[in-house]
Amino acid sequence: MHLSYPPELPVSEQRDRIVAAIRDQQVLIIIGDTGSGKTTQLPKMCIEAGRGANARIGCTQPRRIAALSVADRVAEETRAPEKVGYKIRFHDQTTTNTLIKFMTDGVLLAETRQDQQLRQYDTLIVDEAHERSLNIDFLLGYLKNLLPVRPDLHLIISSATIDAEKFSTHFGGAPVISVSGRTYPITTLYREAADEDDAEISYVDQAIAAVEELTLQPLGGDILVFMPTERDISDTLDGLQHLSDSHLLLPLFGRLPAADQRKIFRPSHRR
């Protein structure tokens, strides 16, 4: 398995410190701002620290889409797709050769019913812990009770905004490592308020108009449109079909099949 770390990621600067802490500490808390690279690089650092020798390295994500995209990214970086897999509801893309397993926190919680000591793992990374969903809270409580029973199991809690001191205290004074993030300049533009005559124009129509305006700008890049429902997404795509000859239009919603979701993050071509 190829282990290299993109130098542009802030987490790479602390590689030696993190690897040493993973090797020496049963519980480690890593605070890393969005864009620091912690999600993709921590599993590789676990391998460098000697983890995964006797069992799998598991990494939880709050959402299925994240588990899919991160698994693809780590498989590409390690050049070992047979060693990196994922498991989400109704889809298990792991084999006996899988070393790094990405999954939703709900999947890991469900696995505690069949294997109360989670023997298939020697390291667990609970990522995005700041979301504090019920699944994550249950997992952290469960793992705290499990760690004394399994001294060979290492736990890494990774987050952007959690109260590190409280988490450290909860896990018996676990060390905390902070990693800076990457920021990019953002320009915020507002469309003019609709006239009273245009008050009946729906937010879907307004989104379509905004996208049409942006495509006329010589800026390049991608456009991401957030909509509240699957129906709104479909209606927006229908309203933008006239742009399909020059732009790639891709939907994304929870019930979209996993194969189609992956196209969003790795489109086959750009127009």
Side-chain angles (χ1 to χ4, degrees):
M1 181 175 284
H2 178 73
L3 298 179
S4 63
Y5 304 91
E8 67 273 13
L9 294 178
V11 74
S12 300
E13 300 174 2
Q14 300 208 44
R15 165 191 166 191
D16 293 340
R17 183 185 176 195
I18 293 174
V19 169
I22 293 172
R23 184 183 297 119
D24 298 336
Q25 304 291 333
Q26 187 180 19
V27 181
L28 176 63
I29 299 169
I30 296 182
I31 308 300
D33 294 335
T34 300
S36 63
K38 61 187 185 303
T39 298
T40 55
Q41 305 309 307
L42 283 178
K44 295 190 293 183
M45 293 180 184
C46 287
I47 294 175
E48 187 174 354
R51 309 306 300 171
N54 301 312
R56 288 174 171 167
I57 298 167
C59 182
T60 68
Q61 296 292 317
R63 284 166 291 278
R64 292 180 294 171
I65 293 173
L68 290 170
S69 59
V70 175
D72 280 349
R73 180 64 181 179
V74 174
E76 179 182 343
E77 289 188 7
T78 58
R79 304 175 190 172
E82 74 283 355
K83 296 290 186 181
V84 182
Y86 67 87
K87 183 177 180 181
I88 59 177
R89 191 180 183 188
F90 306 129
H91 294 277
D92 186 355
Q93 296 296 320
T94 61
T95 68
T96 55
N97 294 323
T98 299
L99 176 59
I100 301 174
K101 175 181 172 181
F102 291 93
M103 68 201 116
T104 57
D105 40 42
V107 165
L108 181 59
L109 192 60
E111 289 180 351
T112 62
R113 301 171 191 165
Q114 285 76 40
D115 179 12
Q116 293 184 358
Q117 294 192 8
L118 297 173
R119 288 290 179 184
Q120 68 170 294
Y121 305 103
D122 77 353
T123 307
L124 286 171
I125 303 171
V126 178
D127 198 14
E128 309 294 353
H130 60 273
E131 296 215 359
R132 295 298 306 276
S133 67
L134 281 176
N135 283 344
I136 290 176
D137 282 354
F138 275 124
L139 273 177
L140 293 177
Y142 188 91
L143 292 172
K144 182 184 179 182
N145 292 329
L146 178 60
L147 291 173
V149 180
R150 282 202 56 196
D152 60 310
L153 178 66
H154 283 208
L155 172 65
I156 300 172
I157 301 171
S158 173
S159 179
T161 58
I162 61 172
D163 188 325
E165 184 177 346
K166 288 184 178 179
F167 269 73
S168 176
T169 301
H170 183 71
F171 283 94
V176 178
I177 296 178
S178 297
V179 180
S180 63
R182 292 184 300 173
T183 58
Y184 298 90
I186 296 176
T187 301
T188 303
L189 303 176
Y190 296 93
R191 303 187 78 233
E192 292 186 8
D195 297 331
E196 291 184 6
D197 295 338
D198 297 330
E200 299 301 321
I201 297 178
S202 70
Y203 54 82
V204 170
D205 291 332
Q206 294 181 56
I208 292 171
V211 170
E212 291 173 338
E213 291 175 11
L214 289 171
T215 58
L216 298 176
Q217 301 295 321
L219 302 175
D222 300 321
I223 300 172
L224 183 61
V225 180
F226 289 91
M227 283 293 170
T229 70
E230 181 181 333
R231 175 63 182 271
D232 293 333
I233 294 172
S234 298
D235 290 346
T236 303
L237 285 175
D238 290 342
L240 293 172
Q241 281 303 313
H242 62 285
L243 299 176
S244 60
D245 290 339
S246 56
H247 296 79
L248 181 62
L249 306 177
L250 296 170
L252 178 60
F253 46 85
R255 294 197 303 118
L256 195 67
D260 292 330
Q261 291 184 15
R262 299 170 85 164
K263 293 178 183 178
I264 308 301
F265 302 97
R266 192 179 298 278
S268 59
H269 63 282
R270 301 266 184 185
R271 296 184 184 175

